[in-house]
Amino acid sequence: MQTPDALSRLLDLGRADRTAVEWCGHELSYAGLGAAVDDVARRLTEAGAARTNVLLLGPLTPAYVVGLLAALRSGAVPVPVDAGMTSAQYAWTERISRPSVLLSSDVSPVAHFRGATGADVGELVVDAATGRVVLDTTGPQRPDSAWRYPGDDAGYLIPTSGSTGAPKAIVGSRTGLNAFLSWFVEEFELGEDDTCAALTRVNFDPSLRELLGVLVAGGRLNLPPVDVQLDLAALGGHLVESRPTLAFLVPSLARRVADVLRADSTRLGALRLAFFAGEVLPARVAQQWRGLAPGAEIVNLYGMTEGTLAQLFRRAARPEDAAGTWGLPVGRPRPGVTVTLAEPDADGRGEVLIASAAPALGILTDGPGTTPRTFHVEPMPPVLRTGDIGFRSDGDLVIAGRAGNDLKVSGRRVSYHRFVAEAEELADVAQCVVVDRQGPHAFVAVRDLAPEDEGTLRERVRAVAGRLELPAPDVHVRRELPLLRSGKVDRMALAASVSAEEASGPGAPSQEATTTDVLLELLDAQGESTASTAFVEAGLGSLDMIAFVARVNRHFGLALSAQDCFGHRDVASLAAAIERLGRTETPASAVPEDAADTVSGEPGTHPLSTRQLAYLATCMADGNANWCNLSREVRVEGTVTPAEARAALDALVARHDVLRLSLTPEWTGQVHTEPAGVRCPLTVHEAGSRTVQEARFQAVTRLIDPTTAPPLRAVLVPGEGTTSVVVVAHHLFLDGLSMDLIARELRALLLGAPLGDAPPPDGFRTYCAATRRPTEPTPDAEYWREALKGAGQTELPEAAGARDGLLLSRPFGVRAVRAAHRLAAATGVSVFAVVLAAFDQAVSRTFGLGALNVVVPVQARDGMPDTAAGMFMSQLVLRGGGPAPVEDKAREYAGQLAAGTAHSAWEFDQRAAEHGLDGTDRFPFSTVLFNQHPKERGLRARDLGSWEPRPLGRSLRYQLQGELQMSAAEMALTYYYRRGIAMHGTDVIDRLHACVIEALCQAGGTRCAH
């Protein structure tokens, strides 16, 4: 029986229970991987994706692996894109690839994929951990904008050199991919016992050999946490924890990782094959890894994207093999590849030329093929020019440097030809040459230049790189450049002249400069960036940021990671954070020592605020109910003891006066109790006795007595390696955003972190006194009487008696989020108003309703600082009117939101009473609500909701509430709904959400194919 080839084995995964992919504690078996690939491949086939490009968005997760394999199985051509692309580069990729489908995951960051153009395609959003499709907006046929390849051999499309201003897209072949994988698995004897710790970002073609090789062999693929490449310690931790037998590394990154691991005296004892590629492998790096993984064979790979992955290899590479040269030999060609040297000089050095029996198909051109809506692929020449200068030593090829001014920076080919031309146009510059020495170095020969002016010249040269969006080179000023006998510049001599100190980056800034000035100098900002320029917008890549962070940590004596710095977005925010870290004063204690003395008067009765009265009338007219309960889960790494949880809860009770309030027996006022007399009920569940969600469900189901302080209870749920504390509070005293504050502070207390500024000791009591309801109508009543003139009751069709609540979240996908942001920018309103308008349109369409009323909760703090917790929520009533374009409705809603908030003193229950809608068992004016839940920056869609329905453990006073979860540009929509409106699973919510997506995409300039 003939052995199946590599690609056949890869696309027929089998159904074994053996683990195929592991990521962040999640495991996907070969059976699970195969089922997920089957489903996505079927959807791609139904969408007409065969022989078309499919944009496959990173980062690297099980979802990405599923998408890659599904695209190959369906005959589609995956186009990997990941972090680091500018908007212009991504727009170019969209335009030239003319995709049929966009395939993303719930951790694909929207900010990296907001191209200048919108692809007229449907989108599949896949759960990052399971590979399950959670959003499908593809249609039954490929869109008109999608082009096809004329043949069946197109395997993948790799956009390259986007930072040079002259990008190109290389079409890899399925034949070449199959040939490489078949050879690779056999040559290195990969098998089921192998584990590969993946490290490479997906937009580099070497990731294909890293991901696919071990899966062809039936081994295990261990994927890193998102953006782990930005944190050297975390990257090293991923390598150690994976216990890999295989690892693929770029030398410049490998050197930094080795430094981190050696500092911890760590060894990679299971590693048997360490593959290096993308750059020249220095002997120093090989020596580091021989010590780090003494049992590993070092393999040096070499090749071009155009030649299909790697074309040459050197097994058992040793540091001593680099005698007389800077880098280790790249060895000999693999089968089907030949190598020659063009016009070798007297020393046998010439440009490396490669011929492959199965190269890439060619370069994707911008024009059409021979038939309409087909691509034209310019075939690869029979011999590929690498641009590298090499020579042979004992039969092995050795790379000596680059021909001309092309370099490889962080594994990508970057052209500095335009940079050299423009630099030589600068005054005082006679000649400029760029060489590679663990990064780009620009050598400039000057005419007559005073030594004190050299620093200014360096900045002017770096500014040229900034204008051209190139990685910034280190600049070296020379009176003259060394020449060879031929008259050419001796690039090897220049590279050798770069000392380790020169390669480490810019010098230390003056201690007299401000923090912002220091950071800009450490950033080597090229004169183009300012304190407010976002790091991503500045084109800072992962390795650039790692080098920057190393300089920051050295200068300020800190231990920041690259992820920390990206999280602060720009220099100004990072400077503020560094200044906070640098404060030497002791953080304020969670509870001021004189807190008891600052409370005015003896404990007594305090008025209810007008917000609380509105809540009592609307949600508690029939008495206390479990729909008044709000909950949050606080999860921390490690073990939390009951005593530690108790201490943290006591600190919160002492910090926030609202947690010491309770209703009077008649519910007409509230009583304050001193901290010593209040203790939050804490229930401890033994580990494994129930899941966190089960504990949360049970805690929310039980009533909280509003006449007993505190209006809060907690449940401690130990787990394996983590501990969760579920807090449940009464909505009469805490609104949703205040619950977020309580949860954040509880987490900080459990971790021993500072809490920040303390709230006013009697903050909520002061607020209640200031917002005490007057006996006579306020002037705001006239606004609401006019605004609600003729308003009826909006209510959805519902099965009788099914009022228990469910929760379900859905992602938007990057297309709909981009559309929402475009709409917001075009109409001059918030993204919230845009999504609200789309939600209005979707509810009307899904439930067959006319004009809607929508109730929108807003916070009305009336000057109370955001450090204070309490019930600050007011309910606005917005009138949707008749059918209108989303953009027009968004403007109308934005106006109503502003006016309604300004007139919120005439409260919700007062408006309802005037319209005769009070005293019923339903939410007055509308049982449809919509609100916004802002979250901290840095979250992904996956962090904003759960894609599986979850019972709330309580009934709902309303029928449907949409809650827009937002973290910077990331969004998800959470639906709280009664079971009665969705008696058949989640179908009605899925149809409703599809309508929201369609409304956004159509209005925002991208057609929704669903």
Side-chain angles (χ1 to χ4, degrees), residues 397-478:
L397 181 68
V398 180
I399 302 300
R402 293 290 298 163
N405 290 296
D406 281 1
L407 273 69
K408 275 193 175 180
V409 180
S410 301
R412 2 173 233 156
R413 194 177 302 279
V414 179
S415 173
Y416 280 86
H417 288 282
R418 286 183 57 197
F419 167 84
V420 168
E422 293 194 21
E424 290 180 347
E425 292 295 319
L426 297 174
D428 302 316
V429 175
Q431 189 177 14
C432 177
V433 170
V434 180
V435 301
D436 182 17
R437 179 74 168 180
Q438 293 289 286
H441 291 259
F443 289 84
V444 291
V446 298
R447 299 180 178 93
D448 297 323
L449 185 70
E452 60 267 25
D453 295 330
E454 289 183 5
T456 302
L457 177 62
R458 291 190 184 95
E459 292 305 314
R460 288 161 53 204
V461 174
R462 292 190 186 102
V464 173
R467 286 197 302 273
L468 299 176
E469 298 184 347
L470 293 169
D474 284 353
V475 179
H476 309 271
V477 179
R478 299 285 190 268

Side-chain angles (χ1 to χ4, degrees), residues 421-726:
E422 293 194 21
E424 290 180 347
E425 292 295 319
L426 297 174
D428 302 316
V429 175
Q431 189 177 14
C432 177
V433 170
V434 180
V435 301
D436 182 17
R437 179 74 168 180
Q438 293 289 286
H441 291 259
F443 289 84
V444 291
V446 298
R447 299 180 178 93
D448 297 323
L449 185 70
E452 60 267 25
D453 295 330
E454 289 183 5
T456 302
L457 177 62
R458 291 190 184 95
E459 292 305 314
R460 288 161 53 204
V461 174
R462 292 190 186 102
V464 173
R467 286 197 302 273
L468 299 176
E469 298 184 347
L470 293 169
D474 284 353
V475 179
H476 309 271
V477 179
R478 299 285 190 268
R479 297 302 165 199
E480 58 182 9
L481 302 181
L483 301 179
L484 296 169
R485 292 178 182 271
S486 63
K488 297 180 180 179
V489 174
D490 189 343
R491 296 172 181 272
M492 295 183 64
L494 288 176
S497 73
V498 178
S499 67
E501 290 77 17
E502 287 176 308
S504 65
S510 166
Q511 296 294 327
E512 299 178 358
T514 67
T515 303
T516 299
D517 291 338
V518 169
L519 290 176
L520 285 171
E521 187 169 353
L522 291 173
L523 182 61
D524 195 16
Q526 307 169 6
E528 297 291 322
S529 299
T530 66
S532 61
T533 302
F535 292 127
V536 172
E537 294 170 1
L540 219 62
S542 303
L543 290 177
D544 298 327
M545 179 59 89
I546 288 172
F548 169 58
V549 171
R551 295 193 291 268
V552 170
N553 287 338
R554 281 198 302 271
H555 183 84
F556 291 102
L558 300 174
L560 298 174
S561 70
Q563 183 68 59
D564 294 331
C565 294
F566 270 131
H568 288 294
R569 189 178 183 276
D570 55 32
V571 167
S573 300
L574 179 59
I578 288 173
E579 289 169 356
R580 287 195 299 271
L581 289 171
R583 292 174 183 164
T584 56
E585 62 266 20
T586 304
S589 94
V591 184
E593 293 180 5
D594 60 345
D597 296 333
T598 61
V599 178
S600 19
E602 295 298 320
T605 302
H606 299 269
L608 293 164
S609 74
T610 188
R611 321 297 177 202
Q612 290 176 300
L613 288 173
Y615 188 84
L616 280 168
T618 304
C619 297
M620 299 176 67
D622 299 329
N624 193 23
N626 63 13
W627 60 55
C628 301
N629 294 347
L630 296 176
S631 67
R632 296 290 187 268
E633 179 192 353
V634 178
R635 181 176 298 180
V636 295
E637 297 293 328
T639 300
V640 175
T641 67
E644 291 169 334
R646 164 63 57 210
L649 292 167
D650 288 346
L652 287 176
V653 168
R655 181 176 173 87
H656 293 285
D657 69 324
V658 69
L659 299 181
R660 307 190 296 271
L661 292 177
S662 58
L663 287 180
T664 60
E666 301 80 14
W667 291 15
T668 56
Q670 47 195 344
V671 176
H672 176 260
T673 304
E674 292 299 325
V678 180
R679 174 149 281 203
C680 175
L682 175 65
T683 303
V684 180
H685 291 289
E686 293 301 324
S689 64
R690 55 170 51 86
T691 67
V692 174
Q693 291 306 329
E694 288 171 338
R696 187 173 184 175
F697 178 90
Q698 186 182 72
V700 170
T701 301
R702 300 197 312 269
L703 297 180
I704 293 178
D705 183 359
T707 64
T708 302
L712 185 77
R713 72 165 62 101
V715 182
L716 180 66
V717 187
E720 293 186 6
T722 63
T723 303
S724 290
V725 180
V726 175

